[in-house]
Amino acid sequence: VPTSGKDARGGSALIVALWVLMILSMLITSLAFDMHIEAGVASYYRKRTKAQYLGQAGVEYAKSVLVKEVQSGEAGDLILEEGDDEETVVAAINLSRGVGVTLTRELGEGSFTVNIKPEEGRRNVNTLLEEDWKEIFDQAGVPTDLWDELMDCFYDWIDKGDEHRLNGAESEDPFYKDRDYEVKNANLDTVDELLMIKGFTEAIVYGGPNPDKDGESMTGIAQWLTTWGDGKVNLNTASREVLLTLPNIEDWVVDDIIAKRVGVDGQAGTKDDGFDNVDEAMGQTGMNPELRERVSTTDRKYIRVDSIGEVQKVKNGITCILQVSDGKVVPVFWAERVLE
């Protein structure tokens, strides 16, 4: 049946109107989606900023605990100052004894968790002897056929001379020539600097696949190392893995140290934690007397603080090294990172 020109125009107008409505709905949907994304991004960055400030608050809290002078009454009860709680005071006591602590505090709509440990609980990489390196490499699962080259290249990096060791490398080595930098001939400033030394791969330093296809993955040596402190290992806070890197120490001795350093009550985080001195540690455990000059108990000149601020599952972390001297706390290293 033939249609009139009026009906045809009406049908065309309806089609155009439908197209316009569809385009408008798409624009509105797109605008709403963009607004939703922008709101989410703004919310995330707002939470991230708050988490960053909470992380900084955790560091400030750690500093206040480190300089706190703890007093006790005639009966031995703790004397709390205004605003203190017993957990904070016990933490201050333990830190004064070279014992690490972990504290969590709610603040506003978020919180911070701060881990405070003497840096002497790690091995100072600049003071390691060959026997120490062997224990560390063994603990990390580094293939034994790499040990000699790694040790010689490390010592060539930090010593003053220009003559390389048997398996070492100085500035004229192709490894350094290709990378256009010279051997430092000085101590490492950070553990990350190991990656600049010939032979020290990311897998060796931070963990990763073993070059020996039949070997287990390497756990990474960086977690046990530092560049701060006098090289003595703090028995009150060193991890089991770090204690096992001491030469000629048996597993059962390490287990004995960890069991005895939590005090008579057998619970970590109480005010009787930690050995008072090396002699006490020697007397209560089966430690080899030859290790006396290589360990400490209450040393805490350098403190590692790991502070994590969190707001609704958004986290920001701060790792810093604080130097504690004469009642003053001074940051000597600072690094921030966003945690997923």
Side-chain angles (χ1 to χ4, degrees):
V1 179
T3 58
S4 66
K6 184 176 181 180
D7 290 338
R9 288 193 298 271
S12 298
L14 179 60
I15 293 173
V16 171
L18 290 173
W19 272 104
V20 170
L21 288 173
M22 185 172 65
I23 292 172
L24 286 174
S25 65
M26 292 175 62
L27 290 173
I28 293 171
T29 301
S30 176
L31 180 61
F33 178 76
D34 288 344
M35 292 176 64
H36 176 73
I37 294 297
E38 290 178 4
V41 171
S43 175
Y44 169 78
Y45 277 100
R46 182 171 61 252
K47 294 173 185 175
R48 177 176 162 181
T49 300
K50 290 181 178 179
Q52 182 179 15
Y53 283 120
L54 283 168
Q56 294 174 2
V59 174
E60 294 301 318
Y61 179 68
K63 291 165 66 175
S64 70
V65 175
L66 285 168
V67 298
K68 183 175 291 297
E69 295 291 339
V70 180
Q71 298 178 340
S72 60
E74 294 182 0
D77 296 329
L78 299 177
I79 297 177
L80 304 184
E81 299 178 1
E82 184 178 354
D84 282 345
D85 55 41
E86 186 167 345
E87 185 183 19
T88 299
V89 175
V90 170
I93 292 174
N94 285 341
L95 285 168
S96 70
R97 293 165 59 85
V99 179
V101 299
T102 300
L103 300 165
T104 299
R105 289 290 180 269
E106 302 290 333
L107 198 61
E109 63 178 6
S111 65
F112 63 76
T113 298
V114 60
N115 186 276
I116 316 169
K117 283 188 175 182
E119 187 67 350
E120 288 82 357
R122 298 178 178 225
R123 307 298 309 272
N124 188 328
V125 66
N126 293 311
T127 65
L128 294 177
L129 304 177
E130 287 192 7
E131 59 182 347
D132 298 311
W133 275 116
K134 291 176 181 178
E135 295 291 345
I136 290 170
F137 290 147
D138 184 52
Q139 186 83 356
V142 178
T144 55
D145 59 340
L146 300 179
W147 292 6
D148 288 340
E149 180 185 12
L150 290 169
M151 288 187 292
D152 284 357
C153 286
F154 172 80
Y155 289 125
D156 280 342
W157 179 269
I158 67 172
D159 65 22
K160 300 293 184 182
D162 292 328
E163 293 185 4
H164 68 76
R165 295 170 179 248
L166 178 62
N167 300 289
E170 289 288 349
S171 297
E172 78 279 359
D173 191 274
F175 177 87
Y176 298 115
K177 289 287 188 181
D178 291 345
R179 289 158 180 77
D180 197 27
Y181 61 82
E182 297 183 345
V183 168
K184 186 177 184 180
N185 290 332
N187 283 345
L188 274 64
D189 293 311
T190 67
V191 175
D192 294 341
E193 196 177 317
L194 283 171
L195 292 174
M196 299 180 67
I197 302 175
K198 181 181 179 180
F200 284 85
T201 64
E202 188 168 344
I204 291 174
V205 177
Y206 297 112
N210 195 312
D212 181 355
K213 294 182 180 179
D214 296 328
E216 296 182 0
S217 294
M218 295 181 289
T219 57
I221 64 177
Q223 59 187 312
W224 308 317
L225 302 177
T226 182
T227 56
W228 306 97
D230 60 6
K232 292 184 178 182
V233 177
N234 186 324
L235 297 175
N236 282 335
T237 195
S239 68
R240 187 176 192 278
E241 291 77 14
V242 169
L243 291 172
L244 284 171
T245 65
L246 289 168
N248 302 317
I249 193 168
E250 301 291 340
D251 286 26
W252 69 268
V253 175
V254 172
D255 292 337
D256 208 17
I257 292 170
I258 293 173
K260 297 293 178 56
R261 72 185 183 186
V262 295
V264 177
D265 62 6
Q267 295 183 354
T270 56
K271 60 183 179 180
D272 70 337
D273 288 0
F275 301 111
D276 287 332
N277 50 59
V278 174
D279 287 335
E280 180 183 334
M282 290 284 181
Q284 294 187 19
T285 67
M287 285 187 63
N288 187 332
E290 294 180 359
L291 292 175
R292 179 183 295 274
E293 300 303 319
R294 307 193 65 177
V295 297
S296 67
T297 53
T298 59
D299 287 357
R300 42 159 254 168
K301 182 178 180 181
Y302 295 100
I303 299 290
R304 175 180 292 263
V305 176
D306 290 303
S307 179
I308 299 177
E310 181 175 0
V311 178
Q312 297 178 15
K313 298 184 179 181
V314 177
K315 300 179 181 180
N316 193 84
I318 296 174
T319 295
C320 62
I321 305 295
L322 305 177
Q323 182 176 352
V324 183
S325 179
D326 299 326
K328 296 181 180 179
V329 181
V330 180
V332 294
F333 174 82
W334 187 282
E336 296 191 29
R337 62 197 185 283
V338 177
L339 303 174
E340 298 298 335

